[in-house]
Amino acid sequence: MSDRPSLDRLHELRRAQDEELAAQDLDGARRRFLEIAGGGSSRPGAARLGPPRPRWIAPAALVALAGVCAALLLVLLPPPPSLSFAVGSAQGQVGAWIAAGAEAPLAVAFSDGTSLALDAGARARVVAADAHGARVLLEGGRLTATVTHTATSAWSFDVGPFDVQVTGTRFELSWSPASEELKLVLREGSVAVSGPLVGGRRAVAAGETLYVFCKEQRFELTRGELRAAAPPAPSATRIDQPAPAATGASERAGVAKAADAAPRRPSWRDLVASDRYQEAMTAAEAEGFDGLVARASAADLLTLADVARFSGKPDRAAAALTAARSRFAGSGEAAKAAFHLGRMAFDQRRSYAEAERWFLVYLEEQPGGSFAREALGRVIECRESMGSAGEAREAARRYLARYPAGPHAAHARDLLEGE
């Protein structure tokens, strides 16, 4: 009898191998494959496949098979889904503005367990999200973040001209567009902050607080938070000796002095300093908003515009910004007014052509300004929204050349993919 394998025997081995690849009963298919490959038979009367083969051949084949299956899984399995999030009780949408009411905070919960809490009056939006994290833009106000840490987590927060890179941590972040002040209080973990004054990727550790005062051109990194100013020294008058009673003219003078010492009603500027924009708007209206716009400085016009925007009065905001453009043409404040006019046109009226025009005005007047990165990213969004694909790609190339790690970089790369 010849030792040469029969054709039927070869077919049988091939069928066993096919079963190993495709059978639902993987363990049973593997046993049948090993029986046949080792010289056994899966059916009565099957011919023996020549002399016994070395026992290492079957395990080696399985190892190779496992490698092929793993490679196929990597190719065929879909990528992990992007994070989803809820704003209050509603489903959140990437790119949509999130605004907390004037009286109550607002919770944002992500599917990976990360949570944000926006203080009353704060405004933010989720610019981008993927399986590993999200990029959040804080326009104004204060938020508290608790970011879930994983081996691949990647979160970032854009705050004015600053970028905060986060893995997993807990912190409080606030930005006042009116005073251009940043405050970051780190409770757990660590972050890296990039932007004006602080430079590139300045580390902030747990227990530290970073303050950046853009207008004053300074920043402070402290352990804990800055202490409030010391209270005034107590009066030297002894409390065990009653003051003499006032009579006549002295009594009237005392009454007048007491009236002078009555607490002064806070001005709209005082209220802005406390981020109380609704109250600041009420105070500005009481003082005469149009008159304020007519005589305000360039900086005050931008502040009044912020007060009006955050109070839900876009017409008042536009009046202040337009006055800044006309009364202080050529100034840095006038350029910022153009940026804010563009943002209002985009966010509130969906007037993309007008928004693009204002963003381009800002970039022409302040190509290296603190809002240049955001303005160029918004140009991409405007052109996409208008259906100008070619011009959107041109803006995407400009953006990547200047801001390869910016908040719109991933979207810009998606637009240019396949070119």
Side-chain angles (χ1 to χ4, degrees):
M1 184 179 216
S2 171
D3 288 336
R4 184 177 179 181
S6 69
L7 184 60
D8 290 341
R9 184 67 175 148
L10 291 174
H11 286 319
E12 186 176 11
L13 181 60
R14 187 187 67 188
R15 284 195 299 272
Q17 187 177 21
D18 291 342
E19 289 176 5
E20 174 69 13
L21 289 171
Q24 294 293 325
D25 181 12
L26 189 58
D27 289 338
R30 184 180 294 109
R31 284 195 300 272
R32 290 193 296 275
F33 180 85
L34 289 174
E35 287 175 5
I36 297 170
S41 174
S42 64
R43 295 192 304 274
R48 184 175 179 82
L49 184 61
R53 294 179 181 270
R55 296 182 61 85
W56 58 266
I57 294 178
L62 287 175
V63 170
L65 182 63
V68 171
C69 291
L72 286 172
L73 286 174
L74 289 175
V75 172
L76 298 177
L77 284 179
S82 297
L83 298 182
S84 60
F85 61 97
V87 180
S89 59
Q91 182 67 34
Q93 298 292 329
V94 171
W97 283 105
I98 304 168
E103 303 298 331
L106 181 62
V108 182
F110 288 82
S111 54
D112 70 339
T114 293
S115 63
L116 309 178
L118 275 67
D119 279 13
R123 281 173 55 87
R125 66 170 173 155
V126 179
V127 176
D130 59 23
H132 309 296
R135 194 167 198 111
V136 180
L137 171 67
L138 176 62
E139 184 194 47
R142 178 176 175 270
L143 65 77
T144 300
T146 302
V147 177
T148 299
H149 176 68
T150 68
T152 59
S153 58
W155 286 77
S156 61
F157 292 77
D158 292 303
V159 193
F162 300 94
D163 179 51
V164 181
Q165 296 289 330
V166 179
T167 50
T169 190
R170 186 166 63 88
F171 60 90
E172 292 143 26
L173 184 63
S174 62
W175 168 250
S176 171
S179 58
E180 296 185 25
E181 294 180 5
L182 169 79
K183 180 181 178 183
L184 170 65
V185 182
L186 202 64
R187 304 298 184 185
E188 296 175 4
S190 62
V191 301
V193 182
S194 306
L197 303 175
V198 299
R201 299 189 66 80
R202 178 173 294 275
V204 182
E208 293 182 333
T209 299
L210 174 68
Y211 296 84
V212 185
F213 307 95
C214 294
K215 289 184 178 179
E216 300 174 23
Q217 291 292 293
R218 66 183 180 90
F219 73 92
E220 298 180 23
L221 183 60
T222 67
R223 294 294 299 179
E225 298 187 52
L226 289 177
R227 290 187 176 88
S235 169
T237 303
R238 291 182 60 180
I239 61 173
D240 58 347
Q241 293 182 352
T247 58
S250 298
E251 184 176 4
R252 289 192 297 273
V255 172
K257 185 175 182 180
D260 291 341
R264 179 179 62 87
R265 178 176 296 179
S267 69
W268 68 270
R269 291 185 185 85
D270 297 330
L271 295 165
V272 167
S274 302
D275 291 334
R276 295 156 63 185
Y277 291 101
Q278 291 280 2
E279 295 173 63
M281 187 66 203
T282 301
E285 293 282 19
E287 191 173 337
F289 191 88
D290 293 334
L292 284 175
V293 167
R295 63 179 182 272
S297 66
D300 278 352
L301 284 171
L302 294 184
T303 303
L304 283 169
D306 284 335
V307 168
R309 284 193 306 121
F310 296 153
S311 302
K313 297 189 175 181
D315 292 344
R316 289 296 206 188
L321 295 172
T322 303
R325 292 291 303 167
S326 61
R327 291 178 53 207
F328 301 97
S331 67
E333 287 81 2
K336 289 180 181 178
F339 173 80
H340 292 307
L341 285 166
R343 187 160 59 180
M344 289 174 61
F346 187 102
D347 296 335
Q348 296 171 10
R349 300 194 302 279
R350 299 293 187 263
S351 180
Y352 302 116
E354 179 188 353
E356 180 199 26
R357 178 171 63 84
W358 283 122
F359 291 138
L360 291 175
V361 166
Y362 175 83
L363 289 169
E364 181 181 353
E365 296 180 1
Q366 294 278 298
S370 57
F371 296 117
R373 184 180 68 179
E374 176 73 5
L376 187 51
R378 291 295 193 99
V379 169
I380 299 173
E381 295 182 31
C382 290
R383 292 176 177 178
E384 265 197 299
S385 300
M386 292 187 292
S388 304
E391 293 183 358
R393 286 194 293 270
E394 182 271 333
R397 282 188 286 271
R398 286 177 57 197
Y399 187 92
L400 290 174
R402 294 189 62 183
Y403 312 109
H408 287 82
H411 183 56
R413 291 188 184 94
D414 289 342
L415 284 178
L416 298 175
E417 198 173 81
E419 278 198 340

